[in-house]
Amino acid sequence: MQSGIATFGPGNGNGVYNMKKTLLVAGAIAALAGTSAQAACWTPQQVAAAKVRDFDTMLMVSSLRCRFESRQLANDYNTMVMRHRGSLSEMNRMLGARFKAAYGEREGANQLDRYITQVANRYGAGTAEQLSCASLASIAQAATAEPQTSEALIALAERAGVVPLTPEGVCRAPIIMADNQAPAYRQAGLVQVAARGRK
């Protein structure tokens, strides 16, 4: 059986064909590598899910930190969790799917646990201390009255100034230009093609 990629050399009548075949395989490998690199970044939906996870963790950790200053914070946090349980679960599932896709079933679960622990440690180390206990209580109370939707929680997290952990960075949106916004060399090429078509 011949190898899928033949060598190009003297006496091989299919040399050019096999060289093209080799280049095609190499191009496919490069494309797959590019896809893997792109998959590592955080999509807007995943960033939104991370914001909600951060927001939930911020209030949970702060309810312990502020338990002597504001007992109402803990009560409102528990009410928020009960009210928004469905949306919180949805955002957590989205985060879990991201890590599962990147690392597989078992390791993905481990990586998700590490991520959640890292988020909690940030707030345990005082990341939310720029917000007073009274401010945090106000945020938690507002959450108890918001519609039971993921969008409402995302908006609350953004208003609270939550900046989630996205170690691999956020995916860049593709830049799509109209023909009239194309670079000059492209526009010139279009004009030349049009001119040839009229001859």
Side-chain angles (χ1 to χ4, degrees):
M1 181 181 294
Q2 293 182 346
S3 172
I5 302 176
T7 57
F8 176 72
N12 187 346
N14 293 325
V16 174
Y17 169 78
N18 287 319
M19 177 177 276
K20 288 181 179 177
K21 196 172 181 181
T22 302
L23 291 173
L24 284 172
V25 172
I29 292 171
L32 285 173
T35 302
S36 299
Q38 182 68 10
C41 63
W42 290 68
T43 67
Q45 294 81 5
Q46 292 167 350
V47 172
K51 284 180 182 178
V52 171
R53 180 73 219 191
D54 255 64
F55 179 72
D56 178 29
T57 304
M58 177 184 74
L59 291 180
M60 177 185 67
V61 174
S62 297
S63 68
L64 296 174
R65 177 171 66 84
C66 297
R67 62 187 179 278
F68 298 117
E69 269 188 71
S70 177
R71 293 183 180 179
Q72 189 60 36
L73 172 54
N75 293 336
D76 286 336
Y77 169 71
N78 290 331
T79 302
M80 182 206 80
V81 170
M82 293 295 294
R83 178 175 177 78
H84 296 283
R85 178 170 291 177
S87 297
L88 290 170
S89 296
E90 179 188 349
M91 296 293 97
N92 283 331
R93 282 194 298 271
M94 189 175 293
L95 278 179
R98 169 189 163 74
F99 285 99
K100 179 181 175 181
Y103 299 100
E105 186 82 36
R106 181 175 297 180
E107 184 57 25
N110 292 336
Q111 290 292 333
L112 176 62
D113 286 343
R114 291 190 189 102
Y115 177 82
I116 291 172
T117 300
Q118 192 176 3
V119 171
N121 287 342
R122 285 174 72 207
Y123 289 107
T127 297
E129 284 183 358
Q130 67 272 22
L131 293 172
S132 67
C133 291
S135 296
L136 288 161
S138 176
I139 292 169
Q141 188 174 32
T144 64
E146 287 291 325
Q148 294 170 291
T149 64
S150 300
E151 290 76 15
L153 285 180
I154 294 165
L156 267 175
E158 290 175 348
R159 274 159 38 200
V162 167
V163 179
L165 285 175
T166 53
E168 297 82 6
V170 179
C171 300
R172 294 181 181 179
I175 299 174
I176 302 174
M177 294 186 295
D179 286 339
N180 60 353
Q181 295 176 315
Y185 71 87
R186 280 187 56 195
Q187 292 189 25
L190 291 172
V191 171
Q192 289 175 7
V193 170
R196 284 199 300 269
R198 288 196 297 268
K199 289 182 181 179

